[in-house]
Amino acid sequence: MREVIDIPAELAAAQEKYNKEAGRAFIAALPDLTTAFLNRWRLRVTGAPMHGVSALVLPVTRADGTHAVLKLQIRDHESEGEPIALRLWNGDGAVRLLDHDEPTGTMLLERLDASRMLSHQDDTHEAVLVIARLLAHLHTTPAPADMRRLGDITRAMLERTPAALARIPDPAARRLVADCAAAVREVADEPGDRLLHWDLHFDNVLAADRAPWLAIDPKPLAGDPAFDLWPALNNRFDPADITWRFDAMTDVLALDRTRARAWTYGRLLQNCLWETEDGRPLDEADLETARRLRGRTT
């Protein structure tokens, strides 16, 4: 049986923008791919399609009446570790994986309450603390040996840094990015081995009947827990609130603040490399975060 699925135009546009030919091929194949997994896993669509930048998510019901979601996405270096991480967390602090097709990266996940995202929480400080508590829980899991590793990412970033610095026209911004790279070099030899989420922002935390909040959509890697702070520092960006958030999160996670600042600078460096290599100006919020974190060592 073939069920007609409307592919959101915003998803198609995002795939065109970020994945070019591969994105167009993914969108073109999506109707048939969706039908194949609905039939294979005996699913019935029971709600409107949802999407982010890279995935189509369909509310479905299994043959036994269990509510779930079908997630279809391009399998790449970021998404390929998602089912591995979810299987290791096994529903403890994160959405539960019900089934998985490795060749395509398609997943069947438990259905959470999409109407109750952490981003709907009016109290930003409480939202930041929710993120910190979830991360403290998720980071108790060691990463498997074959997970992509922060150490490898860091070495590649530092190799690309000189060329990126040459493309930054503003001397003050260039010095700031160079300082971030220098801080990262200080900790690069100890990149850590915890299972990181990497993308735990407010929209990636949903409520459920079985838990107040659960993490979704990890882009996992093995590394230092401090590399996971950035999204909660950046969400609802408020320059005056950066140091409170940093101090609160490092307290909850029991992190050394010197190392935490260095690995947070690593996220800034990563963002700056992406921007400069794609010919875009540096993000002022990223730069201001780095400025505000200067001196946060105690």
Side-chain angles (χ1 to χ4, degrees):
M1 180 183 69
R2 181 185 179 91
E3 184 156 356
V4 178
I5 301 297
D6 292 327
I7 307 302
E10 297 86 352
L11 176 61
Q15 286 298 312
E16 172 72 30
K17 177 179 179 180
Y18 294 110
N19 293 315
K20 305 297 187 293
E21 184 177 345
R24 291 191 293 272
F26 170 68
I27 294 298
L30 203 45
D32 287 341
L33 188 66
T34 302
T35 298
F37 280 99
L38 290 175
N39 292 336
R40 173 175 165 180
W41 287 335
R42 300 174 62 202
L43 307 173
R44 178 170 55 88
V45 177
T46 53
M50 300 175 286
H51 68 91
V53 172
S54 60
L56 178 68
V57 179
L58 296 173
V60 295
T61 299
R62 304 175 87 178
D64 64 2
T66 303
H67 296 309
V69 294
L70 179 66
K71 182 176 182 179
L72 304 109
Q73 61 188 349
I74 286 184
R75 189 177 187 274
D76 58 20
H77 68 282
E78 290 187 355
S79 65
E80 67 183 1
E82 181 175 357
I84 299 170
L86 293 179
R87 191 171 288 116
L88 286 170
W89 287 324
N90 193 30
D92 191 5
V95 66
R96 185 171 284 120
L97 179 69
L98 304 177
D99 213 333
H100 168 234
D101 178 69
E102 185 173 355
T104 64
T106 302
M107 292 180 292
L108 188 66
L109 304 166
E110 74 171 310
R111 192 188 304 183
L112 306 184
D113 190 345
S115 70
R116 291 191 290 157
M117 289 182 176
L118 186 59
S119 55
H120 300 161
Q121 166 68 252
D122 292 332
D123 186 340
T124 299
H125 282 187
E126 179 56 30
V128 169
L129 291 173
V130 167
I131 293 278
R133 289 190 288 263
L134 277 175
L135 289 176
H137 193 68
L138 297 176
H139 291 162
T140 61
T141 301
D146 56 351
M147 182 66 65
R148 65 181 181 136
R149 312 197 78 77
L150 178 56
D152 297 332
I153 292 170
T154 300
R155 282 190 290 275
M157 288 196 301
L158 293 174
E159 288 172 1
R160 290 152 55 201
T161 295
L165 290 174
R167 299 180 184 179
I168 301 174
D170 178 64
R174 189 165 58 247
R175 283 194 299 273
L176 185 58
V177 175
D179 288 345
C180 290
V184 172
R185 287 190 189 94
E186 292 294 319
V187 295
D189 289 340
E190 297 181 79
D193 65 352
R194 298 293 91 186
L195 183 56
L196 308 186
H197 184 288
W198 188 82
D199 196 30
L200 198 58
H201 53 74
F202 295 174
D203 285 340
N204 275 348
V205 179
L206 273 61
D209 291 338
R210 67 179 180 85
W213 298 108
L214 293 169
I216 65 168
D217 201 24
K219 304 291 185 287
L221 67 156
D224 190 293
F227 202 66
D228 258 350
L229 302 184
W230 184 267
L233 297 177
N234 186 256
N235 279 180
R236 295 182 194 165
F237 180 70
D238 179 356
D241 204 37
I242 290 169
T243 55
W244 183 92
R245 299 188 196 189
F246 179 79
D247 290 349
M249 294 187 77
T250 51
D251 280 346
V252 171
L253 289 158
L255 299 178
D256 175 85
R257 284 188 178 146
T258 300
R259 287 183 59 81
R261 182 181 62 165
W263 282 119
T264 301
Y265 279 171
R267 291 296 289 267
L268 170 66
L269 181 62
Q270 189 174 54
N271 290 350
C272 289
L273 289 169
W274 287 336
E275 301 291 0
T276 56
E277 290 169 355
D278 287 344
R280 297 188 298 267
L282 300 183
D283 187 280
E284 182 55 37
D286 288 353
L287 297 176
E288 185 60 22
T289 298
R291 296 185 194 104
R292 297 273 177 157
L293 288 180
R294 280 175 170 164
R296 304 306 296 177
T297 59
T298 60

